[in-house]
Amino acid sequence: FQLSFSVQLPREQGGLSASACFLSTLANLPTNRLAQVKDSNPTLSSSNCSLEDIHIMTIQTVDILLHALRVLLPALIANLGRDRTKKPVKLVVIDSLSALFSASDKPSATTLSERSKSLTTLSSIMHGLASEHNIAFVVINAVKDVFFRDAPTNESQEIVYSQQSKWFNSEI
């Protein structure tokens, strides 16, 4: 949430004098939490930052996200660009992309292929928008697994997390 306010700061304060667009796939964005973040940071609570400069869209499906990126977001960018009193969009946050691909059905070759195609299309659209409008995308994914450091001995040839962490931390 802090990034959505930081982008609003003037360039002299490390911001872009811009607005943010938050595409939420999980639920309605908790504006009370946004207000807490803004009010708890003296830099962000200045007159330069406002909830009005965080544009929110709720996204329930991949198709709706594609429509938002192809149609709604470019329209928002164009509308704000025409109004000199409004801050242009320079940050788009998608929270959480993985939620759109979470299904109760076990993944099959077909669903994995469809996911791959969707992700390729989404990344291509985001890349095009980022290049054309000089905006940044931040894509957040929800974590669903929990790793246990004291995992039971692994009888298979798979590498358990405790071993992987040693490699990542240069302990091996």
Side-chain angles (χ1 to χ4, degrees):
F1 294 138
Q2 185 172 345
L3 205 53
S4 299
F5 290 113
S6 297
V7 74
Q8 297 178 37
L9 294 171
R11 292 185 183 276
E12 311 79 65
Q13 294 180 342
L16 295 174
S17 296
S19 66
C21 182
F22 210 99
L23 306 177
S24 177
T25 65
L26 299 173
N28 291 333
L29 198 63
T31 52
N32 58 342
R33 178 67 182 127
L34 281 168
Q36 284 177 333
V37 169
K38 180 182 177 296
D39 294 340
S40 68
N41 187 321
T43 305
L44 302 179
S45 63
S46 69
S47 61
N48 297 315
C49 297
S50 167
L51 288 173
E52 292 178 18
D53 289 316
I54 301 175
H55 311 282
I56 302 167
M57 294 182 210
T58 303
I59 308 293
Q60 295 90 10
T61 66
V62 173
D63 289 336
I64 294 171
L65 178 57
L66 288 167
H67 177 72
L69 293 174
R70 287 179 175 143
V71 179
L72 302 177
L73 182 59
L76 175 65
I77 292 168
N79 288 339
L80 293 175
R82 284 191 291 272
D83 188 343
R84 297 285 179 203
T85 65
K86 302 287 184 184
K87 293 178 179 177
V89 173
K90 292 296 176 187
L91 173 68
V92 178
V93 178
I94 301 175
D95 181 19
S96 143
L97 186 59
S98 61
L100 296 177
F101 294 99
S102 298
S104 57
D105 299 333
K106 190 171 184 175
S108 66
T110 302
T111 58
L112 291 175
S113 175
E114 289 171 4
R115 287 180 190 179
S116 177
K117 288 177 186 176
S118 295
L119 288 169
T120 300
T121 302
L122 288 166
S123 62
S124 176
I125 294 168
M126 288 186 280
H127 183 269
L129 288 167
S131 298
E132 182 179 346
H133 300 287
N134 196 28
I135 58 178
F137 279 86
V138 174
V139 180
I140 301 170
N141 286 314
V143 176
K144 290 192 159 202
D145 287 332
V146 177
F147 295 103
F148 298 99
R149 290 214 176 264
D150 297 326
T153 305
N154 189 350
E155 299 294 325
S156 72
Q157 295 298 317
E158 295 178 16
I159 300 172
V160 294
Y161 176 74
S162 60
Q163 287 295 321
Q164 292 175 10
S165 67
K166 289 179 182 178
W167 287 359
F168 297 133
N169 295 322
S170 302
E171 296 172 15
I172 292 182

